Amino acid sequence: MAYHIAIIGTGYIGLVAGVCLADSGNQVTCVDIDEAKITMLREGRSPIYDPGLTDLLVKNKRHLHFTTSYNEALKDADVVFIAVGTPLAKNGEADLQYVEAAAKSIGAHMLKDLVVVNRSTVPVGTGHKVEKMIQKVTSYKVSVISCPEFLREGCAINDFMHPDRVVIGADDGHEYAVSMLKDIYKGVSKNDAKFVVTDLRSAEMIKYASNSFLACQISYINDLVRLCEAVDVDVTEVARGMKLDKRIGEYAFLNAGLGYGGSCFPKDVQALTALGRNAGRPLPLLETVEKVNDEMVELAVAKVQKLLKITEIALSEARIAVLGLSFKPNTDDTRASQSVKLIEALIKEGCANLRVVDPIVHFSKEVERAHGKIKEINGGGDILDRILSAAKDADILILATEWNDFRNLDFEKLRDVMRHPCFLDTRNVYSKKEVEQLGFTVENMGRK
Ligand code: NAD
């Protein structure tokens, strides 16, 4: 069955949900407070990049409406999805101001009984709070259930259409809302969705627990990097051997490197840590996970200094080329990007000559602060030319985000244009020995 669905927030989650739900025949209205985004979307242009997103946006324009008006969004809606941001507040907790504002607006504009599905990542208890907030300002009946989003930026469309599981959190009395949401998902995933139906609070916890566990895996393998280097072991071999254990699994997050970033893991680890503290049940393991992640940037800076020592050039005189700005490949999202943090750390240490190349990101708020010291953010044109031009006369080439465009670098050409052929592979994409054979001095994160 097709539904009228209103989606609140047209960011990475809301927009992907909107185009995918429209693609399965639903009538979708996306509402956002950001007028510039809505104007772009009405013109068929996506404000964000994820593979296939613009194509689906254009393809489904008959089923998709974009507005800044809650009145318009809610007038025919059977169900409302909340997909607004829950960034980190200064005290380390999740900042719920956008969720609360959305709740108030829903209450003020709903014109009939409504199912509200919260897809934003929120601390335990938020769903109940949202239901109370809405119910306070309306005489219609509202059913708030939780359906946390697990998609990954970079393959968001595929993840939305084919989720590993759909977690639905609902308390007794909300059976109608659950069956409606299941029906919507059956349409999206062609009857293939695996549902985990649980209570509202457990669903909220499953999301934080999952993201924090993935972050734990990354910090675990990263914590082994320095030890592996000290005892002459290749950390990528260790991960390969570990993943074949079924209890660990082939998809385990065990790629050692610069650490995790983005708009989810860093804030979700901190929000869960804060939840533990506030409940009188601190989570020391998670506090260490974050610390290890921060240390990976420090380790990368130390490796830059090590390479410069060999070339006998001070950081203030060095020319450094950085490949990748987004927090991971196939997205334009630079929120909490480890690449951006590395650039900022290098600038803080005195680096004054940086050139940066990213296949998609040309400029972002996150790098704006550091921009004075970045000579060039190399966007537009052929990517191979851009890599070579950033590397020209450079002393170190740093691979910071493992886009496919950086997986087959022409090291011979790079060696010939660089002032010093030094390479820091923070994502362990290349075999150290192979790149050394091409005349480079190489540092990486524990790979031989
Ligand atoms: P985002 O910042 O990209 O988008 C949020 C959007 O909500 C913005 O466009 C903003 O203008 C809009 N907004 C804010 N307040 C509003 C209001 N009152 N009414 C209407 N629109 C409003 O955020 P995102 O990355 O899409 O994340 C949304 C939620 O999904 C967060 O809780 C996040 O943790 C969670 N999540 C994100 C991802 C991801 O990969 N980005 C994955 C899973 C879960």
Side-chain angles (χ1 to χ4, degrees), residues 8-13 31-34 37 70 83-86 98 101-102 120-121 149 151 153 207 263-264 267 335:
I8 304 190
T10 55
Y12 286 84
I13 293 313
V31 58
D32 204 292
I33 49 173
D34 185 333
K37 268 191 191 176
Y70 272 82
V84 298
T86 47
Y98 305 104
S120 297
T121 304
E149 181 55 81
L151 66 73
E153 286 178 28
K207 173 65 195 178
S263 67
C264 291
K267 79 169 175 62
R335 288 179 285 184

